[in-house]
Amino acid sequence: MNLILIALITLGVAGLLAALILYFVAQRFKVEEDPRIDEVVEVLPGANCGGCGFAGCRALAEACVKADSLDGLLCPVGGQDVMKQVGDILGLAPAAADPMVAVVRCNGTCQARPRTSEYDGTRSCKIMNSLYVGETGCAFGCLGCGDCVSACQFGAIKINVETGLPEVDDDKCTSCGACVKACPRHIIELRKKGPKNRRVFVQCVNKDKGAVARKNCLNACIGCGKCQKECQFEAITVEDNLAYIDWQKCRLCRKCAAACPTGAIHELNFPPKPAPKPVEETPDTTAKTAQEAPKPAAEPKQEPAPQNVEPTNKEDKQ
């Protein structure tokens, strides 16, 4: 009995000493956390999507609290409204940022890209891309398995059954960039949303030469450079047989779209162009006037004056 009691006392004293040691060590090396971090976390939407470039909302909150300014720090889900609240908590002015949206840069519909094979494996763009070029001859276009749809937490992207291509809902898209990371062929990118959601971009990523690209997809960019010559703002570059429009320089004049021979340049959310007015046929008044004008009266013919004729007869001479 005494041995059991001694063991219990010994263990209790050892536990108490260990607790005291851990307490003093924790006090010595503890890290003070700014209480404003929790306030910022409560303001953030809590999606933890990683679109801000950090591991989650708390990591973004810590970066905002430690930063001297909010330049380069943005929550794409909450947008400017959320960053304004964060700025009010920290006493900092939020940086101005243009709203962004995901854009699908592929127009290789089922009608434009004929199928050359059939994939019978796991429906995953990542797996299919690692195995072969896909079910069509285009090695750059959308594979249509829907990895981007699975990656989106906001239901902003879906696959169109008729075209086989993903479509983005501008109202639901938060520009978190999850679909951009999920696409193995990098056909989805974040671009400026534009005034009234109007955008102009090259809906193709095919870098094959013009004849090959056109053979595999009727809507492919052939790198002819007509759009580049038409642009007055130097917003278009042609590299590796592919045109690209810089949204920071583009002025939405749409002259490039009219010049594109394959329709690879996409105009989104623009009003329809007015139909050309029919040319009214003007009557030929000159000919009509000439026909209706009264003819001038004919001048009377003047008979020639009689000439002196010499008599041929002798009697006449006398």
Side-chain angles (χ1 to χ4, degrees):
M1 189 67 179
N2 293 333
L3 294 176
I4 296 175
L5 183 61
I6 292 172
L8 292 174
I9 294 173
T10 303
L11 290 175
V13 172
L16 180 61
L17 291 174
L20 290 173
I21 293 172
L22 291 175
Y23 173 77
F24 286 112
V25 170
Q27 292 297 320
R28 175 68 179 81
F29 296 102
K30 72 176 181 179
V31 178
E32 296 289 343
E33 189 177 65
D34 196 321
R36 296 180 298 174
I37 295 177
D38 294 329
E39 297 181 19
V40 175
V41 170
E42 292 179 0
V43 171
L44 296 176
N48 294 315
C49 59
C52 57
F54 295 91
C57 292
R58 190 167 190 85
L60 174 62
E62 293 175 355
C64 291
V65 171
K66 295 178 182 178
D68 297 330
S69 67
L70 296 180
D71 294 339
L73 298 173
L74 175 66
C75 173
V77 178
Q80 287 296 108
D81 295 336
V82 169
M83 294 308 298
K84 186 178 183 302
Q85 298 180 35
V86 173
D88 294 339
I89 295 173
L90 303 178
L92 301 174
D98 295 322
M100 308 289 283
V101 68
V103 168
V104 179
R105 294 186 56 212
C106 179
N107 195 24
T109 61
C110 298
Q111 293 77 17
R113 282 192 300 170
R115 294 296 188 265
T116 57
S117 62
E118 185 177 354
Y119 177 72
D120 194 21
T122 305
R123 299 302 298 179
S124 169
C125 297
K126 186 176 181 180
I127 295 176
M128 186 187 294
N129 185 63
S130 64
L131 295 177
Y132 74 131
V133 298
E135 296 178 323
T136 67
C138 179
F140 299 89
C142 176
L143 295 169
C145 294
D147 287 13
C148 52
V149 178
S150 303
C152 183
Q153 303 179 25
F154 308 98
I157 190 167
K158 63 179 181 179
I159 299 294
N160 188 315
V161 180
E162 295 181 359
T163 62
L165 299 173
E167 294 180 350
V168 178
D169 188 338
D170 295 349
D171 297 329
K172 295 181 179 180
C173 180
T174 61
S175 67
C176 66
C179 56
V180 178
K181 298 176 182 177
C183 181
R185 293 196 167 177
H186 312 290
I187 69 167
I188 304 178
E189 70 169 350
L190 296 179
R191 295 180 69 90
K192 182 181 177 181
K193 208 166 188 179
K196 298 182 180 180
N197 290 347
R198 295 174 181 175
R199 297 179 292 280
V200 177
F201 57 94
V202 179
Q203 203 171 14
C204 181
V205 294
N206 195 328
K207 296 182 180 179
D208 287 331
K209 291 185 178 181
V212 178
R214 184 72 170 171
K215 179 181 178 181
N216 294 326
C217 180
L218 296 177
N219 299 330
C221 172
I222 57 177
C224 62
K226 291 184 178 181
C227 55
Q228 185 181 25
K229 296 177 181 178
E230 194 70 25
C231 183
Q232 302 176 1
F233 308 101
E234 299 181 354
I236 303 179
T237 55
V238 178
E239 186 177 354
D240 293 334
N241 307 311
L242 179 65
Y244 181 79
I245 300 176
D246 187 351
W247 56 267
Q248 295 180 336
K249 297 180 181 180
C250 180
R251 296 295 180 270
L252 305 179
C253 67
R254 297 191 290 168
K255 292 182 179 180
C256 55
C260 180
T262 63
I265 298 180
H266 190 51
E267 310 167 74
L268 192 62
N269 298 325
F270 283 90
K273 295 181 179 179
K277 296 181 179 180
V279 180
E280 297 181 357
E281 295 182 359
T282 56
D284 192 355
T285 56
T286 306
K288 186 176 181 181
T289 305
Q291 294 175 359
E292 296 179 355
K295 297 181 179 180
E299 296 181 357
K301 296 182 179 180
Q302 296 181 357
E303 296 181 358
Q307 297 179 358
N308 296 327
V309 180
E310 294 182 356
T312 57
N313 201 340
K314 291 182 179 180
E315 295 179 354
D316 292 337
K317 288 182 180 181
Q318 294 177 359

